Amino acid sequence: MSLVEIFLIGIALSMDAFAVAVCKGLAMPKVNYKHTVWIALYFGVFQALMPLIGWFLGSQFAQYITKFTPWIAFLLLCYIGGNMIRESFSKDEEEEETGLSHKELLLLAIATSIDALAVGVTFSFVQLAVVIGFAVTIIGCTTFVLSFGGVFIGNIFGAKYKNRAEFVGGAILILIGIKILLEHFGVL
């Protein structure tokens, strides 16, 4: 597998993380660089970790793992998206610092990187043993960069439209969860 192919896989895998990073940026009154780095780190690390785990699990457990991953991603994204929608209707003004929850980021990172687990399993099929470290590094770095930029893109639009942006962000997370489930059933 070439560098270009691995890079394209990294971009494809990072699209859900990018969309969620945009949603996080929508909810920020102004960009907080520390939070932005944390968001990008969570997504980048998990996007790299999941294919590595999938590669280790290999084909012997693939049929059991891939059955449940769409459901797990769907439930996590709907839960977090529902919370964002609920918070968009809240009259209480929140402090800037409450926009980052490590527990929420962990759940989002798992939900957006669960498809990378299946990619890792396919890596074991094509005998990528020699370059697995390189592949997961490219995937993780690509996701980090796109997620970092996604926060800024989301913030440009979210600063003006805080409550509506948080509502839209939550709806986007739920739609991503539905998309993952529909792809699992072959509808998309």
Side-chain angles (χ1 to χ4, degrees):
M1 194 169 279
S2 72
L3 172 64
V4 172
E5 290 171 318
I6 293 171
F7 180 68
L8 291 174
I9 288 170
I11 290 174
L13 289 175
S14 65
M15 284 299 105
D16 287 348
F18 172 77
V20 173
V22 168
C23 293
K24 294 303 285 180
L26 285 170
M28 287 181 182
K30 66 179 186 173
V31 172
N32 178 318
Y33 289 100
K34 180 180 169 187
H35 289 182
T36 303
V37 169
W38 274 112
I39 291 165
L41 271 174
Y42 267 97
F43 292 149
V45 167
F46 272 84
Q47 210 61 262
L49 187 61
M50 289 300 212
L52 186 61
I53 292 170
W55 178 78
F56 280 125
L57 293 175
S59 60
Q60 68 190 112
F61 297 112
Q63 64 187 4
Y64 304 112
I65 295 166
T66 55
K67 272 192 232 180
F68 299 106
T69 56
W71 288 100
I72 293 167
F74 170 74
L75 292 173
L76 289 173
L77 290 168
C78 285
Y79 171 75
I80 294 164
N83 281 340
M84 285 179 71
I85 290 171
R86 181 181 48 78
E87 289 172 11
S88 75
F89 290 112
S90 174
K91 300 286 186 215
D92 300 332
E93 285 294 317
E94 296 180 13
E95 294 178 19
E96 249 181 75
E97 296 303 311
T98 61
L100 182 79
S101 159
H102 289 286
K103 179 181 175 185
E104 179 187 12
L105 283 179
L106 177 65
L107 292 175
L108 285 169
I110 291 169
T112 58
S113 66
I114 206 127
D115 56 341
L117 188 72
V119 169
V121 171
T122 63
F123 281 174
S124 71
F125 295 153
V126 294
Q127 303 302 318
L128 270 180
V130 177
V131 294
I132 189 66
F134 178 71
V136 298
T137 301
I138 295 294
I139 291 167
C141 289
T142 302
T143 303
F144 177 89
V145 169
L146 289 175
S147 298
F148 191 86
V151 173
F152 284 92
I153 291 168
N155 185 257
I156 290 168
F157 299 104
K160 291 183 179 180
Y161 310 105
K162 167 82 172 102
N163 285 347
R164 284 182 275 179
E166 197 163 26
F167 178 87
V168 169
I172 289 170
L173 291 181
I174 292 170
L175 290 173
I176 290 170
I178 292 168
K179 176 187 139 288
I180 290 169
L181 207 54
L182 291 175
E183 285 174 347
H184 172 70
F185 289 118
V187 175
L188 295 177

